Amino acid sequence: MPESKPHGAQPAGGPPHGLPPGFRGFQAETDVHLLDRLGVVYRYRRIVLTAFALVMIGAVVQTYTTIPLYRAAARVQIEEDRPAIAGFQDQSVSYQDPEVIKNTQYSILRGRDLARKVVRKLDLANSSAFASGRRQPAGVRALLGSLRARVSAALAVLLSKPQPPAPPAPDESAVESALVGAFLGGVRVDPELASQLVNVSYVFKDAPFTALAANTLAEIYVEQNLELKQQSTQKTLDYLSGEIAKQQQKVQDSQTALANYREQQDALSLGDNINVVANRLNYFNDQASRAKSQRTQKETLYNQIKSLKADDPAADTFPLIGQNGNIQRIKAELQQFEQQRRDLSQRYAELHPEMKKLAASIDDAKRRLEGEVTKVVESVRQDYEAAVQEEQRVTAQYAQAERDATDLNRKSIDYSVLENQAKTNQEIYQRLLNQRQELEVASNSKENNVRLTERAEVPGAPFTPNVPRNLVVALAVGLALGIALAFGLDYLDDTIKTPEDITRKLNVPFLGLVPAVRSDKVPVLSGPVPHDFGEAYRALRTSLVFTSGGESTRVIAVTSAQPLEGKTTTACNLAIVLALGGARVLLIDADMRRPGVHKMLRLQNTVGLSHLLVGQARVRDTIQRTDDPNFYVMTAGRTPPNPSELLASDRMRRLVENLASGPFDWVIIDTPPVLAVTDAVVISPLVSGVTFVLGAEMTRRRLAERAVQMLTVSKPRVIGAVLNRVNFDRNKYYYSRYYGSQYKSYYGQAAAKA
């Protein structure tokens, strides 16, 4: 037989590892089918039915023991609470999130203070309707209700910390405190999403009382809210009155301080006339600038004409000289005299009396001209000196004004502080007066941010228990819980149960399955066994024939992952069914630690494999005949101290080689479990193939994977798995998918007819 590839090296598109071409065997589907899920539910059907029954019983008990309750709801609108006057809010209240304010109102609706007012208004201490609704029922319902209450209380203690009862208020008695607590047990506050509406409902056994309680609770809440708003407004008025009195005193004090400062600092120009000094400073500044300009002009003019001569030709360029009438008149006379002297000089000599008289007139005119020019220069000098004096005077006045302004500015700083303080106090005082006037107007109105929009009506039928809904919910919950338990247990159960687990999870070719047999005796094909049990081994024989190829003698080792999985039973029955098919078969019991073949086949174990391997017997001495002429058995012999060393010895190797070329068609070797000892791993390289027996719902997947891994390390030629002790009834849905719904009954009917 050609050597196959190692385990796991499967060619693409070919048969599983260890199978010859053309043999496909059992191929489990990789996709999970709905019937697989149903098979899980069917496998744990008792748990599913038990969970479903418990849930339904609990729902029936819950529904039966629940006392019919009525519910009536009043609708209240809670708007945002704006301050009574715009821009004013109580100093003790800071900004809060609207959700926080709403939740506060909901807590008030559920609070003891509001419930106490309802108890007193309805006089619940003497109310027959409230008293009758609080009485406990009698009979079976009372018994079941009491039992349920005890269970609920026990669960509440385990799951949460019990809250101590609220202590009675100072102004209420113990009886009233109990009534308030009992009344609060029926109060429900349910805000409507994305709105300002709140449903205030009351749940009780008496229908008319529920409507009365809900309406009374809503009405008292509205009245209480309005009363609190009015009280808050009155407190604000009182607060404003006190603040106004304080502020009025501050205004008076600031005005008095302002007047005293002006009087004490001699700063009467401060205040409204504070700009007088500044205007005076600006005036003298202008006057000083003007006087300086005039002085400069007159100084310049004086410097120009102070050295001017009367006969200077440029004298007429000065306006004071050129525009002086006396000077111009004298100059005109002098010109006339000069002209006359020139005219007379042509007729008379210089000593002529006329010439002398004319010369005297010229000299007189020149003296008068020089005197007039001197007068003009003196006038300019005097104007210049007057301008200098005026400049000095104005400059002195400006310096004094500047000193006064500086002193006033220093005083105005303190004055401005006092004035601003006085103005601020006056503005605050006026604003407080305005706010008080607005608040007085608002206090006379009945505006309320809470109002009753819809009154509660008497309910026509109880809202609980809702029998159809409870049953439907219980049905759904019971089924869901049962199915969840089934899938949970199936998930936790990782044992090998189906051929699909072998091919998909272990990646080992599947040879066949053997059904479980309910019997005290080990089922052996040499005796009476169920027909389906025998047919399973005949199918296994067919798979083994195709798997092992066509060699003359095929040596097959049979092992398992752990003890009690039925490997010895499988080895014996497999050898018997091969012999019944006409093949010469030798069964060797290599499990020398716990031999079981001789017990199952009722043979002697005096001489066996252990004697052969230690050299104490020959092969012919160890082989025993059975009732079937084609079936021979080699028992284990006595238990040696070193079974693993004997199986790994050269004697064992030569024995297998001789048997492979001997007279037998099949040699079946029963080996110990893989995970218990290494005997099977030692033998696997010597044989043609390994038949790996797995007990259905016995071997965990990780143990099976570990066993297969240990076998593949020794590189056996073929590994095929057999699923033993399969419970067809437990996995009915799965096997009906692969073998048909009449798989088991078909062979049973055939056997009955035979």
Side-chain angles (χ1 to χ4, degrees):
M1 178 178 179
E3 187 172 322
S4 60
K5 294 183 179 180
H7 176 72
Q10 177 181 336
H17 166 73
L19 296 182
F23 179 81
R24 305 194 61 84
F26 177 88
Q27 298 294 324
E29 295 183 6
T30 58
D31 296 333
V32 179
H33 196 273
L34 176 61
L35 291 178
D36 296 332
R37 301 303 184 191
L38 294 178
V40 173
V41 176
Y42 182 79
R43 186 180 306 120
Y44 297 99
R45 58 188 178 276
R46 292 183 178 85
I47 296 177
V48 173
L49 292 176
T50 301
F52 177 75
L54 290 176
V55 172
M56 291 299 297
I57 291 173
V60 171
V61 172
Q62 170 73 17
T63 303
Y64 179 74
T65 58
T66 300
I67 300 173
L69 296 177
Y70 297 86
R71 178 172 57 192
R75 184 171 292 179
V76 177
Q77 182 177 358
I78 303 177
E79 299 176 346
E80 183 181 358
D81 188 12
R82 299 181 178 85
I85 53 178
F88 179 82
Q89 193 168 1
D90 190 352
Q91 302 297 326
S92 62
V93 179
S94 60
Y95 172 78
Q96 290 185 350
D97 185 64
E99 287 297 324
V100 176
I101 298 176
K102 288 183 179 180
N103 291 331
T104 303
Q105 297 300 317
Y106 304 154
S107 298
I108 292 174
L109 281 167
R110 292 188 288 260
R112 292 185 63 86
D113 184 63
L114 191 64
R116 188 183 307 111
K117 294 180 179 180
V118 176
V119 168
R120 292 174 180 176
K121 184 174 182 179
L122 296 180
D123 192 16
L124 295 187
N126 300 318
S127 174
S128 58
F130 188 71
S132 62
R134 295 179 62 191
R135 295 194 188 99
Q136 297 296 331
V140 179
R141 171 174 288 183
L143 180 61
L144 295 177
S146 176
L147 179 61
R148 189 189 66 180
R150 292 179 181 177
V151 173
S152 301
L155 291 177
V157 170
L158 292 176
L159 299 178
S160 63
K161 184 178 180 180
Q163 298 293 333
D171 60 340
E172 67 180 17
S173 63
V175 176
E176 188 177 40
S177 177
L179 290 173
V180 171
F183 179 80
L184 282 176
V187 176
R188 303 289 186 273
V189 178
D190 302 311
E192 295 185 7
L193 296 178
S195 72
Q196 298 176 336
L197 299 178
V198 179
N199 291 320
V200 181
S201 57
Y202 194 78
V203 178
F204 200 63
K205 302 175 185 178
D206 186 73
F209 183 80
T210 57
L212 176 63
N215 289 328
T216 305
L217 183 65
E219 291 170 356
I220 292 180
Y221 170 68
V222 174
E223 294 173 359
Q224 175 180 280
N225 189 78
L226 179 59
E227 182 180 352
L228 291 175
K229 285 178 63 68
Q230 292 177 344
Q231 291 178 0
S232 177
T233 303
Q234 186 60 43
K235 289 181 180 179
T236 306
L237 280 172
D238 297 340
Y239 168 77
L240 283 176
S241 298
E243 290 298 316
I244 288 173
K246 295 178 183 178
Q247 196 64 31
Q248 185 177 11
Q249 185 63 37
K250 289 183 180 180
V251 171
Q252 294 176 357
D253 295 343
S254 60
Q255 292 292 343
T256 302
L258 193 63
N260 293 337
Y261 182 83
R262 290 199 299 184
E263 182 178 354
Q264 294 172 1
Q265 298 296 329
D266 192 18
L268 299 177
S269 60
L270 293 172
D272 296 336
N273 298 323
I274 196 170
N275 291 326
V276 172
V277 174
N279 294 334
R280 184 168 173 266
L281 179 64
N282 293 333
Y283 171 75
F284 283 117
N285 184 30
D286 295 340
Q287 291 296 323
S289 299
R290 193 178 297 110
K292 183 178 181 180
S293 177
Q294 290 179 1
R295 191 265 305 164
T296 302
Q297 293 177 0
K298 291 182 179 183
E299 183 181 8
T300 303
L301 180 61
Y302 174 70
N303 291 331
Q304 291 176 352
I305 69 176
K306 67 180 179 179
S307 60
L308 187 66
K309 301 297 183 181
D311 57 351
D312 192 344
D316 292 338
T317 60
F318 296 97
L320 293 176
I321 296 176
Q323 297 176 1
N324 192 304
N326 293 331
I327 294 176
Q328 295 302 323
R329 185 175 65 254
I330 294 172
K331 282 186 176 184
E333 292 178 357
L334 184 60
Q335 288 178 357
Q336 290 178 359
F337 292 151
E338 291 288 343
Q339 184 64 35
Q340 290 177 3
R341 188 174 64 173
R342 284 193 299 271
D343 291 342
L344 290 177
S345 65
Q346 294 178 0
R347 290 184 299 173
Y348 304 109
E350 293 291 334
L351 299 177
H352 189 275
E354 289 293 332
M355 291 292 288
K356 290 181 178 181
K357 181 180 179 181
L358 188 60
S361 299
I362 291 173
D363 292 337
D364 181 62
K366 287 182 178 181
R367 286 191 299 272
R368 286 188 289 116
L369 179 61
E370 184 177 357
E372 290 296 329
V373 171
T374 301
K375 290 181 180 179
V376 171
V377 172
E378 182 65 19
S379 175
V380 171
R381 186 187 65 79
Q382 292 177 356
D383 290 343
Y384 164 67
E385 292 177 352
V388 171
Q389 293 177 358
E390 180 66 19
E391 181 184 12
Q392 293 175 353
R393 183 184 66 82
V394 174
T395 302
Q397 291 177 341
Y398 172 74
Q400 182 62 36
E402 189 175 21
R403 287 192 296 271
D404 294 342
T406 302
D407 183 62
L408 187 63
N409 286 336
R410 180 183 59 78
K411 295 178 181 179
S412 66
I413 294 174
D414 298 334
Y415 181 82
S416 297
V417 173
L418 295 175
E419 187 180 32
N420 291 334
Q421 185 176 2
K423 287 182 179 179
T424 302
N425 291 335
Q426 183 65 33
E427 291 175 358
I428 294 175
Y429 176 70
Q430 189 62 42
R431 187 161 62 248
L432 290 174
L433 287 176
N434 296 336
Q435 290 176 353
R436 186 175 66 176
Q437 292 176 357
E438 294 177 6
L439 199 59
E440 287 176 350
V441 174
S443 64
N444 296 327
S445 67
K446 300 295 183 182
E447 183 180 358
N448 193 357
N449 66 310
V450 175
R451 61 190 182 92
L452 180 61
T453 60
E454 184 178 338
R455 297 180 61 83
E457 297 181 356
V458 178
F463 81 98
T464 185
N466 190 332
V467 178
R469 184 191 63 185
N470 291 353
L471 293 180
V472 171
V473 170
L475 178 65
V477 171
L479 289 176
L481 179 62
I483 293 174
L485 287 175
F487 283 109
L489 293 174
D490 182 70
Y491 177 79
L492 296 176
D493 182 12
D494 63 344
T495 59
I496 303 298
K497 297 180 284 294
T498 62
E500 184 181 13
D501 295 337
I502 295 176
T503 56
R504 188 173 65 179
K505 297 177 181 178
L506 301 182
N507 197 20
V508 174
F510 175 67
L511 299 177
L513 54 86
V514 178
V517 177
R518 297 179 180 178
S519 175
D520 296 336
K521 299 180 180 180
V522 178
V524 180
L525 293 179
S526 59
V529 294
H531 194 74
D532 56 347
F533 184 82
E535 288 299 326
Y537 275 101
R538 292 183 181 90
L540 179 60
R541 178 184 59 188
T542 303
S543 299
L544 195 62
V545 169
F546 281 101
T547 304
S548 302
E551 294 182 352
S552 57
T553 300
R554 283 155 286 187
V555 182
I556 305 298
V558 180
T559 186
S560 63
Q562 55 188 354
L564 303 179
E565 292 192 79
K567 62 162 184 69
T568 302
T569 305
T570 302
C572 293
N573 288 324
L574 185 59
I576 292 173
V577 77
L578 288 171
L580 293 176
R584 291 173 60 84
V585 182
L586 173 63
L587 174 61
I588 300 176
D589 189 356
D591 189 356
M592 292 181 286
R593 288 180 173 85
R594 296 180 60 182
V597 172
H598 66 283
K599 298 178 182 178
M600 190 172 298
L601 299 179
R602 298 179 181 179
L603 299 175
Q604 297 294 326
N605 190 26
T606 55
V607 179
L609 178 63
S610 62
H611 299 82
L612 177 63
L613 296 179
V614 296
Q616 296 178 357
R618 295 176 298 177
V619 174
R620 68 179 66 182
D621 298 331
T622 58
I623 296 178
Q624 302 182 40
R625 291 178 177 271
T626 62
D627 296 337
D628 191 332
N630 294 327
F631 184 32
Y632 299 86
V633 178
M634 180 186 294
T635 61
R638 69 171 179 270
T639 301
N642 54 348
S644 299
E645 287 75 4
L646 293 179
L647 293 176
S649 63
D650 291 338
R651 288 178 179 271
M652 184 64 186
R653 182 177 56 80
R654 288 196 300 270
L655 172 64
V656 174
E657 291 176 354
N658 293 332
L659 292 176
S661 59
F664 299 102
D665 299 321
W666 293 87
V667 176
I668 308 298
I669 304 176
D670 180 22
T671 62
V674 177
L675 299 180
V677 291
T678 61
D679 298 0
V681 179
V682 171
I683 294 177
S684 59
L686 307 178
V687 300
S688 303
V690 177
T691 300
F692 188 57
V693 179
L694 290 166
E697 303 181 58
M698 292 177 57
T699 307
R700 300 187 62 180
R701 180 168 60 90
R702 292 186 179 181
L703 297 178
E705 290 175 348
R706 176 61 178 165
V708 171
Q709 183 181 7
M710 292 179 66
L711 286 174
T712 55
V713 169
S714 60
K715 298 182 180 180
R717 299 178 183 179
V718 178
I719 297 179
V722 175
L723 190 62
N724 192 31
R725 298 177 181 175
V726 177
N727 190 335
F728 284 94
D729 294 333
R730 185 175 178 84
N731 301 280
K732 182 177 180 180
Y733 279 95
Y734 177 86
Y735 293 107
S736 64
R737 282 189 62 195
Y738 294 100
Y739 299 100
S741 58
Q742 303 298 327
Y743 172 75
K744 185 176 181 180
S745 60
Y746 176 80
Y747 292 107
Q749 293 173 2
K753 293 179 179 179

